[in-house]
């Protein structure tokens, strides 16, 4: 499978809201010019996710552990003591050394370690792995995909290690043994500061990707009720809604570009309680022809519609506006505010 076909298939399985994975690989020439990285090089992963390719080397990685786990240098002498006595991740330096004898990185003879977003990568040839920075919902889909054709208890593994170890070293080591494991990572507290609070990593080594790429459209990610519910949640506007909106003293209702209701805060749910659970229902079915025409116009133009009403003795202001992502209209947001009988009006020049 080429990178364009995979990107299309991945978006179909996980939806447009799911961040695209990164292809990472070694080379003797850089994929991009990357400035010196102060501290942990994982902070630059965000750049690659946003579309700016990253090329790391022994010259621009400043962290000794990062150089080691990226496969550029032998282990610095201070690492066992640092992991045990400074970071307190292992009981003793000896325990750290024992771990590294089993799960240490493989050295590379190449000059650069590159991270390129999959839609910008020309090929999967020569890659070490595919890196996903993802929420638990997306991780669940990736795990289900990995489990589809194997019963091994360690098909998906989570083992101790630094953030860079859980991403790079695990994949490289697995490839050298022509293995089958995928790896969940970013459980290292030192690395988590560079990622969102709901982010974990999932890595598919190149040696495993060959078989998995043929099963994405055969496993549960393809048209099953269970995954469809999770996919809808991944792509729900609710992921963009701040928690404080839930209990605001106004009704907030959000729909997608087809009119399907994606989100209702507590006030909105209370207001429309007699109609039952409306999440997932199309609002076109409960509006007049005139209202439908206005809704379609707002979706087509990305405009807004503001008016006041009086209903059951309450005066309300209704504010309807298109919501967008990267300039594209994704749906509508309606905010309904109860107006007091007397409301001051100020003119301020």
């Amino acid at each position: 499978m080429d990178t364009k076909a995979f990107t299309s298939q991945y978006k179909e399985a996980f939806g447009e809201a799911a961040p695209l994975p990164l292809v990472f690989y070694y080379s003797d020439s850089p994929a991009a010019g990357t400035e010196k990285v102060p501290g942990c090089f994982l902070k630059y992963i965000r750049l690659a996710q946003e579309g700016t390719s990253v090329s790391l080397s022994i010259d621009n990685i400043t962290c000794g552990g990062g150089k080691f786990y990226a496969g550029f240098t032998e282990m610095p002498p201070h690492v066992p003591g640092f992991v045990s006595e400074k970071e307190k991740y292992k009981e003793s330096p000896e325990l750290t050394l024992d771990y590294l004898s089993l799960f240490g990185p493989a050295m590379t003879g190449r000059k650069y370690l590159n991270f390129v977003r999959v839609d910008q990568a020309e090929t999967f040839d020569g890659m070490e792995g595919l890196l996903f920075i993802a929420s638990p919902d997306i991780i669940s889909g990736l795990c289900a995909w990995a489990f589809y054709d194997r019963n091994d208890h360690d098909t998906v593994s989570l083992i101790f290690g630094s953030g860079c170890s859980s991403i790079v070293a695990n994949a490289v080591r697995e490839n050298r043994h022509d293995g089958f494991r995928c790896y969940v990572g970013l459980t290292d507290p030192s690395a988590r500061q560079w990622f969102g609070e709901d982010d974990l990593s999932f890595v598919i080594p190149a040696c495993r990707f060959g078989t998995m790429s043929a099963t994405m459209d055969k496993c549960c990610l393809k048209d099953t009720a269970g995954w469809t519910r999770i996919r809808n949640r991944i792509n729900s506007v609710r992921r963009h809604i701040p928690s404080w909106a839930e209990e605001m003293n106004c009704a907030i209702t959000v729909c997608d570009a087809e009119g399907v209701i994606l989100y209702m805060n507590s006030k909105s749910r209370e207001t429309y309680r007699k109609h039952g659970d409306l999440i997932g229902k199309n609002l076109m079915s409960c509006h007049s022809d005139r209202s439908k025409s206005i809704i379609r116009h707002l979706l087509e133009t990305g405009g807004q519609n503001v008016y006041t009403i009086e209903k059951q003795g309450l005066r309300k202001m209704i504010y309807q506006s298109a919501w967008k992502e990267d300039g594209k209209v994704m749906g509508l947001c309606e905010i309904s505010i109860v107006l007091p009988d007397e409301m001051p009006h100020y003119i301020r020049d």
Side-chain angles (χ1 to χ4, degrees):
M1 181 182 294
D2 61 35
T3 54
K4 288 184 173 55
F6 173 83
T7 300
S8 176
Q9 194 173 43
Y10 180 75
K11 286 184 175 182
E12 182 180 348
F14 288 85
E16 292 290 334
L20 290 174
L22 307 178
V23 175
F24 61 97
Y25 63 97
Y26 290 107
S27 66
D28 287 323
S29 57
T34 302
E35 61 186 26
K36 185 166 287 191
V37 185
C40 179
F41 73 69
L42 291 182
K43 66 181 72 172
Y44 278 41
I45 294 297
R46 186 66 63 191
L47 282 177
Q49 286 185 288
E50 293 170 354
T52 300
S53 298
V54 171
S55 295
L56 303 170
S57 70
I58 195 170
D59 296 319
N60 64 10
I61 298 176
T62 58
C63 171
K67 293 178 183 180
F68 171 55
Y69 288 114
F72 289 125
T73 65
E74 297 295 332
M75 182 184 68
H78 74 278
V79 166
F82 182 79
V83 172
S84 172
E85 297 158 9
K86 177 70 172 178
E87 295 183 308
K88 299 186 184 297
Y89 291 152
K90 285 294 181 183
E91 187 177 32
S92 66
E94 291 73 25
L95 207 60
T96 304
L97 284 168
D98 185 55
Y99 157 76
L100 289 173
S101 70
L102 297 172
F103 300 108
M107 296 297 101
T108 178
R110 298 295 188 89
K111 295 181 179 179
Y112 298 96
L113 172 62
N114 308 286
F115 291 87
V116 181
R117 202 172 66 190
V118 68
D119 61 331
Q120 299 179 348
E122 295 181 0
T123 180
F124 290 121
D125 293 345
M127 81 167 181
E128 292 291 345
L130 204 55
L131 166 63
F132 302 78
I133 305 296
S135 67
D137 277 349
I138 294 174
I139 295 289
S140 76
L142 294 170
C143 287
W145 177 24
F147 289 138
Y148 177 71
D149 63 345
R150 296 200 71 98
N151 286 330
D152 309 84
H153 71 278
D154 53 351
T155 294
V156 176
S157 297
L158 193 163
I159 60 176
F160 169 78
S162 65
C164 48
S165 172
S166 68
I167 291 171
V168 181
N170 286 349
V172 175
R173 186 179 59 254
E174 197 70 14
N175 287 331
R176 299 302 181 269
H177 293 91
D178 194 25
F180 58 84
R181 300 168 188 83
C182 295
Y183 291 93
V184 173
L186 291 186
T187 59
D188 170 20
S190 302
R192 292 210 53 76
Q193 63 184 303
W194 310 116
F195 299 89
E197 60 185 12
D198 295 323
D199 287 339
L200 289 172
S201 64
F202 189 95
V203 172
I204 305 177
C207 58
R208 181 71 170 108
F209 181 69
T211 54
M212 284 183 63
S213 63
T215 61
M216 186 186 289
D217 61 354
K218 298 177 182 178
C219 70
C220 70
L221 301 180
K222 184 74 171 180
D223 300 329
T224 63
W227 178 247
T228 297
R229 286 191 291 270
I230 301 305
R231 184 185 187 278
N232 288 344
R233 187 163 71 179
I234 292 168
N235 290 273
S236 169
V237 70
R238 190 179 185 113
R239 67 192 174 88
H240 296 299
I241 303 293
S243 58
W244 49 258
E246 177 61 21
E247 297 186 39
M248 283 190 68
N249 196 27
C250 60
I252 302 174
T253 307
V254 183
C255 74
D256 68 12
E258 303 300 322
V260 176
I261 297 173
L262 301 173
Y263 173 81
M264 301 171 74
N265 74 344
S266 59
K267 191 72 172 179
S268 178
R269 296 194 300 273
E270 177 188 339
T271 301
Y272 297 104
R273 184 173 59 243
K274 68 179 183 180
H275 299 291
D277 184 7
L278 296 178
I279 302 294
K281 304 290 179 61
N282 197 304
L283 55 78
M284 292 293 193
S285 62
C286 56
H287 282 77
S288 66
D289 289 342
R290 177 179 177 277
S291 295
K292 290 177 184 176
S293 177
I294 293 172
I295 291 169
R296 292 191 188 98
H297 179 72
L298 294 176
L299 289 170
E300 289 171 2
T301 63
Q304 64 184 27
N305 182 39
V306 185
Y307 58 94
T308 60
I309 63 171
E310 185 170 330
K311 190 174 183 180
Q312 297 176 342
L314 295 176
R315 293 192 308 141
K316 295 182 179 181
M317 183 182 78
I318 309 298
Y319 182 91
Q320 299 169 332
S321 174
W323 63 276
K324 304 176 181 179
E325 285 188 358
D326 298 326
K328 179 182 178 182
V329 174
M330 303 298 291
L332 295 179
C333 176
E334 178 184 279
I335 302 175
S336 174
I337 304 172
V338 175
L339 300 175
D341 292 334
E342 301 211 359
M343 186 169 63
H345 175 72
Y346 304 102
I347 298 175
R348 291 175 175 160
D349 295 327

